[in-house]
Structure formats: C-alpha cells, structure tokens
Amino acid sequence: MTEGPGSIDAVEALLEGQGYVAARSLATVVFLSLRLGKPLFLEGEAGVGKTEIAKVLAAGLGRRLIRLQCHEGLDASSAVSEWNFAAQMIAIRAGEAAGRAGVFSEDFLIERPLLAAMRPQPGGAPVLLIDELDRADEPFEAFLLEALSDFQVTIPELGTVKAPEPPIVILTSNRTREVHDALKRRCLYHWVDYPAFDRELAILRARVPEASAQLSREVVAFVQALRGEDLFKRPGVAETIDWAKCLIALDVVSLSPEVIADTLGAILKYQDDIQKLQGLETTKILAEVKKALV
C-alpha cells in the first residue's frame, strides 16, 4: 500500500491542483491504484492525457518521476542496467580491479529506469511511468512480469534487486497493438476517452487561463466537431491546448475560417486531414459550431 490521498475527492483535488481535470472514474482508479499498491494500466488514443497523469501525480505527491519510454527493440539491458565497458576496460588496464569485487560491481553499473525505480528515493517511492508499452516488442512484456509481480529486477552478475517500497507504476498504451493479458491482469485497467465538452473546457481553462471565455468555448467546440469527422488521426486534448496557445500568441479573440486555415497544423498532423478540411468544409463546421454555442 502506498501512502497518498485518503479519498477519491482528495485525488481529484490533488490532480486539479496540478492543472489536471480528471473524470470521476479516472480519479477512482488512481485512488485504488495508490491504496492497493497495484500498477495502473491506462489505454486510449494519443493526446488524451495518459502520460500527464504520471507527471501530475509525481508532482502532487512530491515523488521522483522515472520514465521508461518504450520503443521497438527495447530489451532488459536498456530498461534495467548496462555495464560501463569503457570504465571497466580502463580499470582492468590500470590494475584497479585488484582487491575489489571486480569490474562487475556497482561502481561500473549504469542505472536505467527500472533499476532506479527499485532503489530507495528521497520523499518516498517514485512514480514509474512505462510509457507507450504497445511500441515495445512482446518479449519485453514477458520480462516486465517479474518487475510488476514482485517489484524486483535481476542483474545476472549481481543478483536480484528488490524494491524496499514498491514504486507507483503507471503504464500507458495507445493501442497500436494488444498488450498481453498476463500483464494486464497484474494491473488495474482504465480506458482514457476523449472528454465531454464541459470537462475539456475546464481542462483548457486550467491549462490556458489567459484565453477568453468565448475563444475557449469556440476552440473546444470546434475540436470536438473535428473528432466527429472521418479523419486519419483525430485531435486529442493536447492538440486543443496547443491550438489555444497558438491562437493566444496570434492575438486571436474569435475563430474565423482564415485563422483556422492558417493554424490547422496545430491540431491536425497529417496532410490528408488538413486538405480535407481546408476551404468550404472548415467554413461549414465553424458555422455549425458558432450556431450551437449561441
């Protein structure tokens, strides 16, 4: 069990204090993860705030954030530790290894995220973010089972390192592929969906408070309308925030077809999507948005 907020309301308050407006269901599963000491597996589209949860939780609890960014080809040595071969060779040539434990000792070990998360940290157990697990290969998932089941990792030359206090573990996936059931069973699971209008508006006001009420409503309504279009990649909350910041930088007070055309690259990341919405389509969507907001 990890010490933390004593209720779901306290979790909501902690997250809001860091500018993260969470749905009640998300705050509930975060509370349970902290209370039970179980890893939390967050799945959903890119840009909906999965990674941000780990960041604001670490900041709110005053814990160190340790991030393992997953990618194709990630293996145990990259995730746990590696040997500093250059330093080992220098020590061997200089004869410095004599009388010591040898070159396979802590002195020559390069600590990677999973090993760091098993070490005692100032302020308490760290928040371990295993980000975009779906980008890693399936064999790496099997390796993670030991770390998440027993909160320990094994270094062949040194033995097993077990966490004196289990880290707060958050895994994320954009669901580019399915993650194995054996790993999911060791976690609490939550699907992070696109927020409804009112919550996304609250998020925007928390993250971009300098935006006017009118502009914020128009931005959120337009982005939500775009998510209903047949796009290759729908914009996430991260794009909503980025777009609002761009509009503020341009001193925009209200959306217009011209402004949208000039800044579509802040919310859409594929040329086919941008081309589809240029011209009459953008004008039509904006007109419907402004009509609905009246």
Side-chain angles (χ1 to χ4, degrees):
M1 183 183 297
T2 299
E3 290 187 11
S7 67
I8 299 170
D9 290 338
V11 169
E12 287 184 309
L14 182 146
L15 297 177
E16 287 180 13
Q18 301 297 321
Y20 193 103
V21 183
R24 183 74 176 183
S25 57
L26 178 56
T28 300
V29 76
V30 169
F31 168 75
L32 291 172
S33 175
L34 294 173
R35 177 57 62 91
L36 301 177
K38 290 183 67 69
L40 175 57
F41 188 92
L42 300 177
E43 205 166 37
E45 299 291 341
V48 293
K50 303 183 300 296
T51 299
E52 195 68 15
I53 274 285
K55 294 179 180 179
V56 300
L57 196 57
L61 294 173
R63 308 294 181 90
R64 178 186 174 189
L65 175 67
I66 299 175
R67 181 173 182 171
L68 174 62
Q69 180 63 51
C70 297
H71 55 81
E72 186 177 351
L74 180 65
D75 57 15
S77 63
S78 301
V80 178
S81 63
E82 295 179 289
W83 292 108
N84 188 336
F85 294 118
Q88 287 173 320
M89 292 303 297
I90 292 172
I92 290 171
R93 290 172 181 172
E96 294 177 359
R100 297 167 58 180
V103 292
F104 290 107
S105 66
E106 291 276 359
D107 294 339
F108 301 99
L109 194 66
I110 301 174
E111 200 172 72
R112 298 302 184 196
L114 284 184
L115 178 58
M118 302 301 164
R119 306 283 201 189
Q121 300 291 335
V127 175
L128 172 61
L129 169 61
I130 303 175
D131 209 13
E132 297 185 322
L133 179 60
D134 52 319
R135 294 183 179 273
D137 302 319
E138 291 187 15
F140 183 71
E141 288 183 37
F143 164 74
L144 279 180
L145 292 177
E146 177 192 16
L148 298 186
S149 296
D150 303 317
F151 294 107
Q152 65 183 33
V153 292
T154 300
I155 304 170
E157 299 85 354
L158 296 179
T160 299
V161 178
K162 186 175 179 64
E165 182 182 0
I168 300 167
V169 182
I170 295 180
L171 305 95
T172 75
S173 168
N174 295 334
R175 209 176 186 182
T176 57
R177 69 169 178 83
E178 288 292 337
V179 173
H180 199 277
D181 286 346
L183 189 59
K184 284 186 174 181
R185 283 198 302 270
R186 285 160 174 78
C187 308
L188 295 177
Y189 175 86
H190 186 77
W191 175 266
V192 184
D193 210 345
Y194 294 113
F197 177 85
D198 289 343
R199 190 160 66 86
E200 188 161 12
L201 184 59
I203 293 170
L204 188 59
R205 286 173 174 168
R207 302 303 294 270
V208 194
E210 62 271 29
S212 67
Q214 176 185 345
L215 182 62
S216 296
R217 286 170 57 81
E218 289 181 359
V219 165
V220 172
F222 188 84
V223 171
Q224 295 222 334
L226 286 187
R227 293 184 188 134
E229 298 293 315
D230 183 20
L231 300 176
F232 181 77
K233 175 63 180 69
R234 293 180 293 175
V237 180
E239 283 73 37
T240 304
I241 295 169
D242 286 345
W243 190 32
K245 290 179 178 179
C246 290
L247 297 173
I248 292 297
L250 295 173
D251 296 323
V252 173
V253 295
S254 182
L255 292 182
S256 68
E258 295 76 22
V259 166
I260 294 172
D262 291 341
T263 57
L264 268 179
I267 46 177
L268 300 177
K269 308 302 179 180
Y270 290 88
Q271 179 60 20
D272 289 348
D273 289 343
I274 292 174
Q275 285 184 330
K276 180 176 181 178
L277 289 173
Q278 284 178 334
L280 295 177
E281 189 68 22
T282 297
T283 303
K284 176 185 175 183
I285 295 173
L286 181 59
E288 292 174 352
V289 163
K290 291 201 173 190
K291 182 179 179 181
L293 289 176
V294 174

